[in-house]
Amino acid sequence: MKDQDQKTLIVEDTIAKYEKYLNPSTAKLFRFMGLNTVEDRAIGSVIYDIHGKSYIDCLGGYGVFSVGHCNPKVIEAVKIQLEKMPLSSKLLFSKATGDLAELLAEITPGDLTYSFITNSGTESVEGSLKLACVHTGRKKVVSALNAFHGKSIGSLSVSGRDLYRKPFESLLFDVELVPFNDIPTIENVVDEDTAAVILEVIQGEGGIIIPSEDYLPKVRELCNKTGAILILDEVQTGLGRTGAMFASEHYNVVPDIITTAKALGGGVMPIGAFTARPHIWEKYIESPFLHTSTFGANPLACAAAIAAINFIKEEGLIERSEIMGKYFLEGLKEIQEQHPAVIKEVRGKGLMIGIDLFKEGVGGFLIAELIDKGVIVAYTLNNPKVMRIEPPLIITKEEIDYVLKVFKDAFAKAEEILEDL
């Protein structure tokens, strides 16, 4: 059997297993988007499928691969730790855990000090909500419509799209959802009964929605006034994605609790964290077993996180994200000017960019076109009319130029058949 024929059989077999053992709807969606292949390897900003075709990754695992795929420094740190002790005994001190906690205290805004290391973003949100409630003795939580904080039951409770909430109601907490970036409404809702206000700094799955300059500062003032805990979810925006280590720094706001994940594992290990001000941590200090995790803070994941943070700092990826983001944004805005009937708006901070389309059906067509030409993108989960761009922060100018050319051609085709979409 020829090598390519064998690889084709592997693709067909893998898709069949998705249909039979995972979810047939997932397989159908992938096929619809033109993803009739199997990923094989990746390096830097490029993914290769089993047939050897290359794709520039402009999705970046929804923000996971900030330091690139298979970053050699992260891989090396994980290899070293793997040969020493992959998982913790949980009874002795772990150097990797202590080192990561210290590093998180150094890079997070203001006086955020104590961290709990988790395995994912949704776990980080769950832990933050528990901490806010036990600290304040309150149960009411205020979140934003269109928000996305995860799909475990507590995180889903404060997420703002009915499509995912309704099948599981009633959910946890006494949650009030308010419009994002609407100061008068949130001022009428947050009161002395509010345990926490949880917000994304930039709504990612909501469509790359960027708040006004005064929104977060005024929410911070409101929380100070009422004693509510301000939780900022930086699972997607954290660690250099927006041209700052944390997106809240753009607004000079220090939360009481901040959540991280995605890029924290360096694209190699799943890991998250929530980090809080010392006085918020008092209940967890009094009873350290109020919140625990078997696999959280395992040394393998901590080693990856330490290497990823150090790489971001040492290689200037925060500054690079800002520079490359502006370049990418300017190129996309030029395309918008050429196709005003297709593109409603292009917006973003750093390398977190959204292309807002007038018609929902255009997105599926464009994604298929882009994938065919070797560019991976997707739309945002809560708003299918917004295409997201979140490539590795190491993406080169030459790679961006190629992506812009592919976008330009794809949008030209989309405009030709706009009425049919």
Coordinates of all heavy atoms in Angstrom, one line a residue, residues 22 46 52 80 108 111 129 131 133-134 162 195 218 237 239 280 294 306 312 317 338 343 355 416:
L22 N -17.0 9.4 19.8 CA -17.0 10.8 20.4 C -18.3 11.5 20.3 O -19.1 11.6 21.2 CB -15.8 11.5 19.9 CG -14.4 11.0 20.3 CD1 -13.3 11.6 19.4 CD2 -14.1 11.3 21.8
V46 N 3.1 27.1 12.8 CA 2.6 26.2 11.7 C 2.2 24.8 12.2 O 2.9 24.2 13.0 CB 3.7 26.1 10.7 CG1 3.3 25.3 9.5 CG2 4.2 27.5 10.2
G52 N 1.2 16.2 5.2 CA 2.3 17.1 5.0 C 1.9 18.5 4.7 O 2.7 19.4 4.6
I80 N 12.9 17.5 31.5 CA 13.7 17.4 32.8 C 12.8 17.0 34.0 O 13.2 16.1 34.7 CB 14.4 18.7 33.0 CG1 15.5 19.0 31.9 CG2 15.0 18.7 34.4 CD1 16.1 20.4 32.0
T108 N 1.5 39.2 38.2 CA 0.1 39.7 38.2 C 0.1 41.1 38.8 O 1.0 41.5 39.5 CB -0.8 38.8 39.1 OG1 -0.1 38.5 40.3 CG2 -1.0 37.4 38.4
D111 N -1.1 44.0 44.3 CA -0.7 43.2 45.4 C -1.3 41.7 45.4 O -1.4 41.1 46.4 CB -1.1 43.9 46.7 CG -2.6 44.0 46.9 OD1 -3.3 44.0 45.8 OD2 -3.1 44.3 48.0
L129 N -14.8 31.8 42.4 CA -16.2 32.1 42.9 C -16.4 31.5 44.3 O -17.0 32.2 45.2 CB -17.2 31.4 42.0 CG -17.3 32.0 40.5 CD1 -18.2 31.1 39.6 CD2 -18.0 33.4 40.6
L131 N -14.0 31.2 46.5 CA -13.2 32.1 47.4 C -13.9 33.4 47.7 O -14.0 33.9 48.8 CB -11.8 32.4 46.7 CG -10.9 33.3 47.5 CD1 -10.6 32.7 48.9 CD2 -9.6 33.5 46.7
C133 N -17.2 33.9 47.6 CA -18.3 33.6 48.5 C -17.9 33.3 49.9 O -18.6 33.8 50.9 CB -19.1 32.5 47.9 SG -20.0 32.8 46.4
V134 N -16.9 32.6 50.1 CA -16.5 32.3 51.5 C -15.9 33.5 52.2 O -16.0 33.6 53.4 CB -15.5 31.0 51.5 CG1 -14.1 31.4 51.1 CG2 -15.5 30.4 52.9
D162 N -27.7 31.8 26.7 CA -28.7 30.8 27.0 C -28.6 29.5 26.3 O -29.0 28.4 26.9 CB -30.1 31.4 26.6 CG -30.6 32.5 27.6 OD1 -30.0 32.5 28.7 OD2 -31.5 33.2 27.3
A195 N -21.6 39.1 46.4 CA -20.3 38.5 46.7 C -19.2 38.9 45.7 O -18.1 39.2 46.1 CB -20.4 37.0 46.8
K218 N -14.6 52.0 36.8 CA -15.9 52.3 37.5 C -16.4 51.1 38.2 O -17.0 51.2 39.3 CB -16.9 53.0 36.6 CG -16.5 54.4 36.2 CD -17.6 55.2 35.5 CE -17.2 56.6 35.3 NZ -18.3 57.4 34.7
T237 N -7.1 36.4 27.9 CA -6.4 37.6 27.6 C -5.1 37.7 28.3 O -4.3 38.6 28.0 CB -7.3 38.8 28.0 OG1 -7.6 38.7 29.4 CG2 -8.5 39.0 27.2
L239 N -1.2 36.9 29.9 CA 0.1 36.4 29.5 C 0.5 36.9 28.2 O 1.0 36.2 27.3 CB 0.2 34.9 29.6 CG 0.0 34.3 31.0 CD1 -0.1 32.8 31.0 CD2 1.0 34.8 32.0
I280 N -8.0 38.5 50.9 CA -9.1 37.6 50.4 C -8.9 36.2 50.7 O -9.8 35.4 50.7 CB -9.2 37.9 48.8 CG1 -9.3 39.3 48.5 CG2 -10.3 37.1 48.2 CD1 -10.6 40.0 48.9
T294 N -6.4 17.0 43.2 CA -5.5 15.9 43.1 C -4.3 16.2 42.1 O -3.1 16.1 42.4 CB -6.2 14.6 42.7 OG1 -7.2 14.3 43.7 CG2 -5.2 13.5 42.6
I306 N 6.4 27.7 34.2 CA 7.5 28.6 34.6 C 8.3 28.9 33.3 O 8.7 30.0 33.0 CB 8.4 27.8 35.6 CG1 7.7 27.8 36.9 CG2 9.8 28.6 35.8 CD1 8.3 26.8 37.9
I312 N 8.1 34.3 27.6 CA 7.4 35.5 27.3 C 8.1 36.7 27.7 O 8.3 37.7 27.0 CB 6.0 35.5 28.0 CG1 5.1 34.4 27.3 CG2 5.3 36.8 27.9 CD1 3.8 34.1 28.1
L317 N 7.8 39.0 24.2 CA 6.6 38.7 23.5 C 5.4 39.7 23.8 O 4.5 39.8 23.0 CB 6.1 37.3 23.8 CG 7.0 36.2 23.3 CD1 6.3 34.8 23.3 CD2 7.6 36.4 21.9
Q338 N -12.0 47.7 1.5 CA -12.2 47.2 0.2 C -13.5 46.4 0.1 O -14.1 46.2 -1.0 CB -11.1 46.3 -0.2 CG -9.8 47.1 -0.4 CD -8.5 46.1 -0.4 OE1 -8.7 44.9 -0.5 NE2 -7.4 46.7 -0.4
I343 N -17.6 43.1 5.7 CA -17.1 43.3 7.0 C -17.7 44.6 7.7 O -17.6 45.7 7.2 CB -15.5 43.5 6.9 CG1 -14.9 42.3 6.2 CG2 -14.9 43.6 8.3 CD1 -13.4 42.5 5.9
I355 N -13.0 39.9 13.6 CA -13.5 40.5 12.3 C -15.0 40.3 12.3 O -15.5 39.1 12.2 CB -12.9 39.8 11.1 CG1 -11.4 39.8 11.1 CG2 -13.5 40.4 9.8 CD1 -10.7 39.0 10.1
E416 N -18.5 38.2 -3.9 CA -19.1 37.8 -5.2 C -20.4 37.0 -5.0 O -21.3 37.0 -5.8 CB -18.1 37.0 -6.0 CG -17.0 37.9 -6.6 CD -15.9 37.0 -7.3 OE1 -16.2 35.8 -7.4 OE2 -14.9 37.6 -7.7

